[in-house]
Amino acid sequence: MSTTAPCSLQLVAMQSLLSNQSLAISALEDLPRLSFPEFFMEAYAQGHTEVVKAMVKCWPFPCLPLGDLTRPPDLGTMKAVLDGLEMLLATKERPSHWQLQVVELRKVYPNIWTRGYHSMARISHPGLLNARPTGSGRSQSSGEQPLWIFMDLTIDRFQNEWQDYLVQWARKRKQRVQLCSRKLQILTGSASTIQKALLLLRLDSIQELGLSKFSRGGTVKTLAPYLGYMKNLQLLSLSRMSASCYTCSPKDSCKFAAHLGQLHHLQELHLHDVLFSSENMPAILRSLKPLKTFSLSSCLLTEDNLRFLSLCSCTSQLKHLRLRSLLMLHFSPEPLQALLENGTHTLETLALEDCDITDSELSALLPTLSRCSLLGFFSFYGNRLSVASLHNLLNHTARLSHLTRGIYPAPLESYSVLDWWHRHIHADSWRFAQVRTGLSQMFREMGPNHKVQICTRFDHRTDRGQFYSLAPDGSWVLTQEALPVLSPLPL
């Protein structure tokens, strides 16, 4: 008999037993361990909350991977799960076959519920941290085994109903329950709401932190002391931060920077629509260790900021770099050239998108770009190049042996003078047809392992773009695609 799904007779028997919840609960004591996953799935799917509650209490495996069920729990089911956990925590002397230690609410074990009980029994959870919490001020009575709950938490004004209920439940039992969040999104500027959540969480469980929609400097000031306790943080994303967030005193900026400097495992930093003052950007970034990924988009960038970035240790060993939607029209090319120079032996992904880079600036960058020997992906759409400069750029990138995909702008000759400033609309069809004719031979010479695309339209609000590529038969293919993202790091 296959262990991938219950046979029809098993299913009929389970459904019959579940039709009487009291009988089903009393039968759990004699239910073979082999049948627990299938029986739980059926009770969960049919909404038999009392059975779910009883099964959680006597779950015979170390981990209950709720996040990998076919649908997320609704509020009623989550209450049943938490009631079962409450009964488990209240039991002083547990039978040896009650094994539950971890409730996993993320999707981390694909198809685990249909692979049989052996797979369920073999789940290991290396994410379990030291029993002693760090930084949250929580304590745990000696001799008590904690219960771990893993989830990706979003702190917002509009909380998910069952998530809000779970957080409130865990807060009342924080002496016994360890709430962990690998990915934490904070989408509210309420300092008190943020502080309550951070006091509850295992801060050393957070590996990815996203902060967005902050409008008051006090919020950043409140958050700063907790950053230093996020010892395992690998990715930090700041977006949609207004200028008033950074009106704190130089002393407070130094404190914020000092806490960032304690993040020894930080590998990725993403800054989008963040308004830095000329003093705060250096103060905050200079404390960081060398990063693997750095992304800066839709920020007001000065030439001095860019020069600082080229000298900052955090950008000295980058594998992935994105500069997007930055007004660099009148910048000297030297700071950007110096920034790329840092990555000639490390960069694998380079995206310089919608930065108003012109022919003369590109000409200064090409010698450095040609030495980026590990580059596998290059995106340059939205810049102000002539056909001649585009040909020159293609000649240089064609010699990069690791490059497998390049995205280039439609050259200025593809637009009327007025259309260029509205290039988020389509290029002129007749003009661009003439340009494509001149590019066809060069595209064919790039080889089959190098995917070359011309981006004629892009919208960063929807992250979609319009791309032309040359088919093997010599025809041009138009596609609508998602704009590329930076290569993710394995976390």
Side-chain angles (χ1 to χ4, degrees):
M1 183 176 64
S2 172
T3 61
T4 58
C7 70
S8 56
L9 289 178
Q10 279 182 303
L11 182 60
V12 170
M14 287 190 294
Q15 291 174 341
S16 175
L17 186 57
L18 286 168
S19 64
N20 186 328
Q21 290 203 72
S22 298
L23 182 61
I25 293 170
S26 65
L28 292 178
E29 189 66 29
D30 299 318
L31 186 69
R33 193 168 181 241
L34 171 70
S35 302
F36 255 80
E38 291 87 355
F39 196 58
F40 186 90
M41 276 196 298
E42 189 63 24
Y44 180 93
Q46 299 301 324
H48 296 294
T49 54
E50 290 300 314
V51 178
V52 168
K53 177 170 67 176
M55 293 194 75
V56 168
K57 176 186 176 184
C58 61
W59 190 248
F61 307 103
C63 180
L64 177 60
L66 287 178
D68 288 296
L69 288 164
T70 54
R71 61 176 175 82
D74 56 25
L75 181 59
T77 306
M78 179 54 67
K79 287 182 176 180
V81 169
L82 296 179
D83 286 345
L85 295 178
E86 182 72 44
M87 293 190 297
L88 178 63
L89 290 171
T91 305
K92 297 293 185 181
E93 297 183 6
R94 303 176 188 175
S96 60
H97 58 277
W98 293 11
Q99 295 289 318
L100 185 58
Q101 301 175 37
V102 176
V103 177
E104 179 60 84
L105 296 171
R106 306 167 301 173
K107 290 184 177 294
V108 291
Y109 303 109
N111 305 315
I112 188 65
W113 289 94
T114 58
R115 281 161 38 198
Y117 89 100
H118 290 293
S119 296
M120 187 75 72
R122 284 196 297 265
I123 291 180
S124 63
H125 217 287
L128 288 184
L129 305 162
N130 296 327
R132 185 181 300 279
T134 61
S136 59
R138 300 168 57 188
S139 61
Q140 180 183 314
S141 302
S142 60
E144 291 183 335
Q145 181 179 339
L147 177 70
W148 301 78
I149 299 179
F150 284 81
M151 64 185 300
D152 290 333
L153 184 63
T154 299
I155 303 172
D156 199 351
R157 289 184 303 164
F158 310 103
Q159 290 278 37
N160 176 294
E161 192 175 30
W162 71 258
Q163 176 185 283
D164 190 46
Y165 185 87
L166 169 59
V167 169
Q168 295 298 330
W169 181 88
R171 180 173 289 117
K172 295 176 182 177
R173 297 156 183 84
K174 61 183 181 180
Q175 303 298 326
R176 299 288 310 280
V177 175
Q178 301 283 310
L179 186 60
C180 302
S181 181
R182 177 180 176 273
K183 296 181 181 180
L184 175 62
Q185 292 282 335
I186 300 179
L187 308 179
T188 176
S190 170
S192 61
T193 301
I194 294 170
Q195 192 169 36
K196 286 179 182 177
L198 294 180
L199 285 170
L200 175 63
L201 283 173
R202 282 287 304 243
L203 299 182
D204 50 354
S205 72
I206 301 170
Q207 296 183 42
E208 300 183 21
L209 175 63
L211 310 175
S212 185
K213 303 177 183 177
F214 285 14
S215 59
R216 295 186 294 273
T219 306
V220 173
K221 186 176 179 180
T222 299
L223 175 67
Y226 296 95
L227 281 174
Y229 293 106
M230 300 179 188
K231 301 295 186 181
N232 296 304
L233 191 67
Q234 298 184 40
L235 184 153
L236 176 61
S237 173
L238 308 179
S239 65
R240 297 179 177 88
M241 302 271 196
S242 71
S244 59
C245 282
Y246 301 97
T247 56
C248 52
S249 67
K251 181 179 179 181
D252 289 330
S253 292
C254 290
K255 288 181 179 178
F256 184 77
H259 292 301
L260 281 180
Q262 297 176 38
L263 304 177
H264 300 297
H265 296 288
L266 190 66
Q267 298 181 35
E268 298 193 41
L269 179 62
H270 302 264
L271 305 174
H272 171 72
D273 193 14
V274 177
L275 296 179
F276 286 107
S277 71
S278 58
E279 297 83 10
N280 278 332
M281 175 183 271
I284 290 171
L285 297 184
R286 69 163 49 98
S287 63
L288 295 176
K289 305 297 186 293
L291 300 168
K292 291 185 178 179
T293 300
F294 180 72
S295 172
L296 186 68
S297 61
S298 301
C299 298
L300 289 178
L301 186 73
T302 67
E303 189 170 326
D304 285 342
N305 289 153
L306 187 58
R307 183 171 288 104
F308 165 76
L309 285 174
S310 70
L311 299 172
C312 187
S313 63
C314 71
T315 63
S316 63
Q317 301 174 28
L318 291 175
K319 288 188 174 182
H320 311 287
L321 171 64
R322 161 165 282 148
L323 303 179
R324 173 187 277 183
S325 297
L326 304 175
L327 186 58
M328 298 167 57
L329 182 58
H330 301 295
F331 283 16
S332 165
E334 281 78 14
L336 181 55
Q337 185 180 7
L339 181 60
L340 297 186
E341 190 71 43
N342 293 338
T344 52
H345 300 296
T346 59
L347 275 177
E348 299 173 7
T349 302
L350 176 60
L352 306 173
E353 302 161 337
D354 190 26
C355 289
D356 286 326
I357 296 173
T358 62
D359 289 354
S360 60
E361 292 158 344
L362 175 64
S363 180
L365 296 176
L366 282 177
T368 306
L369 179 63
S370 298
R371 294 198 301 276
C372 294
S373 55
L374 299 181
L375 204 61
F377 173 83
F378 176 62
S379 179
F380 202 71
Y381 68 78
N383 292 301
R384 299 160 53 88
L385 300 187
S386 65
V387 168
S389 286
L390 179 58
H391 275 266
N392 196 16
L393 176 59
L394 288 168
N395 275 324
H396 279 76
T397 56
R399 295 193 288 269
L400 296 173
S401 59
H402 289 83
L403 194 65
T404 58
R405 186 183 180 191
I407 302 177
Y408 302 90
L412 293 172
E413 289 83 350
S414 306
Y415 302 86
S416 70
V417 175
L418 292 177
D419 282 343
W420 165 253
W421 298 106
H422 303 281
R423 62 193 184 281
H424 303 286
I425 308 174
H426 296 276
D428 180 87
S429 57
W430 183 85
R431 291 170 183 264
F432 186 55
Q434 302 304 306
V435 169
R436 293 200 306 271
T437 300
L439 291 173
S440 294
Q441 182 59 35
M442 177 165 284
F443 272 42
R444 280 192 287 267
E445 293 172 355
M446 299 292 279
N449 296 325
H450 186 171
K451 181 180 180 181
V452 188
Q453 295 177 295
I454 298 292
C455 179
T456 57
R457 183 186 181 193
F458 55 90
D459 186 345
H460 292 151
R461 294 169 300 176
T462 60
D463 281 329
R464 302 286 297 178
Q466 177 177 277
F467 300 89
Y468 281 85
S469 56
L470 191 68
D473 63 2
S475 63
W476 285 89
V477 178
L478 172 63
T479 57
Q480 306 285 340
E481 302 177 23
L483 293 174
V485 297
L486 288 184
S487 300
L489 295 173
L491 297 180

